[in-house]
Amino acid sequence: MKEKEIEDLIADKSFGTDIFDKADKIRKENFGDGVHLRALIEFSNYCSRNCLYCGLRRDNNKLKRYRMSSKEILSCAKKAFDMGFKTVVLQSGEDLFFKTKDLCAIVYKIKKNYGLRVTLSAGLLKKSDYGDLKNSGVDRYLLKFETSDKKLYEYLKPDSVFGDRLKAIEILKELNYQTGSGIMAGLPGQNDKILAKDLKLIKDMELDMVSVGPFISDPDTPLKNCSTIEEFKMIKILALTRILSPFSHMPATTSMGVLYKNGRKKALLAGANVLMPDITPVIYGENYRIYPGKNIKDPEDNINEIKDMLSSISRHISYEFGDSVRGGFYGKNS
Ligand code: SAH
Ligand code: SF4
């Protein structure tokens, strides 16, 4: 698909269900009906960056800041293991307090004690840090490029350089991480042409994991009162992402569930094959407010609710690791 075709499909308000059927068929062929659960641990909400869209930005002084201790993170990983999860996702702001060697020690213990896959999502780090973390056992890394438009990126992330983010994603791939990236849809200043370029870049990156979620305006950021993307368009973008990236694991994001009724279920019907239940202790998680509404416990975070939701769409929880299906170290062909 050419960029212009993608743009026209995004702009088209009239078409039928073809695109959704195609996305769902591709998902079924490449991933089956099992949905992988990744347990999300939000281990620190301190952030040294000032992204305009994010509630964790350093200038948001309304937020109560926290960071979990190594012990707390480990007991959360144990909880994930006891609940039957196969993957933990450790996510944080860019918290300069956490030294790479401390994170390495935590990851090493999680792997040794519980044998879980570990995904890290802690933003931009030095190449040597990514290397050390990989050696300590981190399997996967999530680093969204957020938008492919350099000007928009650098407006939204005033202390960041677009090229550095792309370079970091390349480094993660070189280091043999199962690499995840993606965008937010509905950002102010993002038109259909940019969205088409975003999806094309996601395709060209040949990612192991791709995350596309709607932007949600936070009242304590400079983007307060900004509108976001309408539901139909958002779901269409997910379906197009699945068609363009047939072999990437794709979550039905928490933001889908926060913004739209049955949003995560709709995403699962449009190509998604992953859910990321939040298992952060509530006293902390309620302050991990990237956007509002996130801290309200989604009933879908309860495993029984997830099972019911999945069986209503003839899907089920997968108890496999859910590694990349692209081949390489963990993949099908290894
Ligand atoms: N600090 C790390 C990881 C935490 S943020 C980083 O920035 O990579 C994780 C993701 O949250 C970001 O990649 C972004 O896509 C998403 N996010 C941040 N603010 C958001 C908002 N207001 N609405 C929707 N998603 C948001
Ligand atoms: Fe920090 Fe990430 Fe939020 Fe930016 S998006 S302010 S880097 S937590």
Side-chain angles (χ1 to χ4, degrees):
M1 240 190 283
K2 295 250 162 50
E3 225 168 278
K4 184 73 178 83
E5 277 175 74
I6 304 173
E7 184 185 336
D8 290 346
L9 283 169
I10 293 172
D12 186 359
K13 289 195 169 67
S14 64
F15 66 85
T17 57
D18 304 9
I19 217 164
F20 302 104
D21 291 347
K22 193 167 170 193
D24 199 42
K25 191 162 168 271
I26 292 173
R27 184 272 309 157
K28 196 174 168 76
E29 272 170 19
N30 294 336
F31 298 96
D33 289 332
V35 172
H36 299 292
L37 304 186
R38 326 289 202 192
L40 183 61
I41 304 174
E42 298 156 332
F43 65 94
S44 165
N45 72 350
Y46 281 89
C47 193
S48 56
R49 298 210 186 247
N50 226 359
C51 307
L52 264 50
Y53 46 78
C54 178
L56 305 193
R57 64 199 305 273
R58 69 165 184 266
D59 284 356
N60 181 10
N61 52 26
K62 292 206 182 135
L63 199 65
K64 193 168 160 233
R65 303 284 171 168
Y66 73 88
R67 65 173 64 91
M68 287 165 64
S69 67
S70 302
K71 219 172 133 199
E72 286 171 319
I73 298 171
L74 282 167
S75 82
C76 222
K78 180 179 185 310
K79 179 169 131 193
F81 174 77
D82 291 342
M83 288 171 81
F85 288 102
K86 299 287 185 197
T87 297
V88 282
V89 180
L90 304 180
Q91 196 182 71
S92 69
E94 291 197 18
D95 181 357
L96 302 175
F97 174 87
F98 267 99
K99 298 289 170 249
T100 297
K101 69 169 181 26
D102 300 332
L103 273 179
C104 286
I106 294 168
V107 172
Y108 180 79
K109 284 189 192 140
I110 294 177
K111 304 278 304 185
K112 187 162 157 271
N113 297 349
Y114 311 117
L116 295 164
R117 294 287 193 260
V118 176
T119 305
L120 192 62
S121 173
L124 211 61
L125 303 172
K126 290 206 296 273
K127 183 174 181 174
S128 56
D129 292 325
Y130 286 140
D132 291 347
L133 286 157
K134 184 78 180 59
N135 291 336
S136 79
V138 181
D139 303 282
R140 312 177 185 142
Y141 204 99
L142 288 178
L143 191 70
K144 289 166 79 172
F145 62 83
E146 317 294 2
T147 169
S148 61
D149 189 274
K150 178 176 160 54
K151 236 172 107 182
L152 182 60
Y153 180 93
E154 288 173 3
Y155 160 71
L156 293 170
K157 289 176 79 80
D159 37 27
S160 303
V161 175
F162 181 60
D164 292 349
R165 194 85 167 177
L166 295 187
K167 181 79 201 153
I169 295 166
E170 240 172 69
I171 289 170
L172 292 166
K173 293 185 84 174
E174 264 169 43
L175 291 171
N176 214 17
Y177 275 98
Q178 297 179 45
T179 304
S181 193
I183 58 157
M184 276 175 283
L187 289 164
Q190 179 194 52
N191 53 33
D192 293 346
K193 198 173 160 59
I194 294 178
L195 274 167
K197 209 169 127 212
D198 292 344
L199 297 199
K200 184 70 175 35
L201 181 56
I202 288 175
K203 173 187 165 56
D204 292 345
M205 281 180 168
E206 301 193 329
L207 298 160
D208 301 296
M209 306 170 289
V210 52
S211 171
V212 175
F215 156 72
I216 301 176
S217 165
D218 185 286
D220 296 330
T221 67
L223 301 185
K224 60 175 177 239
N225 306 324
C226 283
S227 63
T228 185
I229 189 163
E230 54 170 327
E231 183 179 316
F232 175 66
K233 190 167 179 176
M234 180 65 225
I235 296 169
K236 189 170 30 159
I237 286 169
L238 288 178
L240 285 168
T241 306
R242 167 52 74 219
I243 292 166
L244 291 163
S245 303
F247 299 108
S248 310
H249 286 290
M250 185 168 120
T253 62
T254 306
S255 53
M256 283 296 295
V258 168
L259 203 55
Y260 313 117
K261 188 164 191 306
N262 298 323
R264 294 206 276 188
K265 184 163 156 176
K266 288 169 183 161
L268 288 168
L269 291 169
N273 70 313
V274 170
L275 285 170
M276 296 172 72
D278 189 348
I279 62 155
T280 314
V282 178
I283 44 155
Y284 297 132
E286 64 188 11
N287 287 311
Y288 196 85
R289 217 194 67 188
I290 289 180
Y291 47 76
K294 203 199 132 289
N295 49 336
I296 299 162
K297 271 279 168 227
D298 189 326
E300 287 177 12
D301 282 339
N302 174 301
I303 297 284
N304 287 327
E305 299 271 349
I306 292 179
K307 280 186 183 156
D308 288 350
M309 187 267 280
L310 292 180
S311 71
S312 77
I313 52 172
S314 306
R315 306 273 280 277
H316 56 268
I317 294 176
S318 164
Y319 290 99
E320 290 174 18
F321 282 111
D323 285 310
S324 178
V325 299
R326 283 189 177 280
F329 186 67
Y330 291 108
K332 263 187 185 164
N333 308 326
S334 62

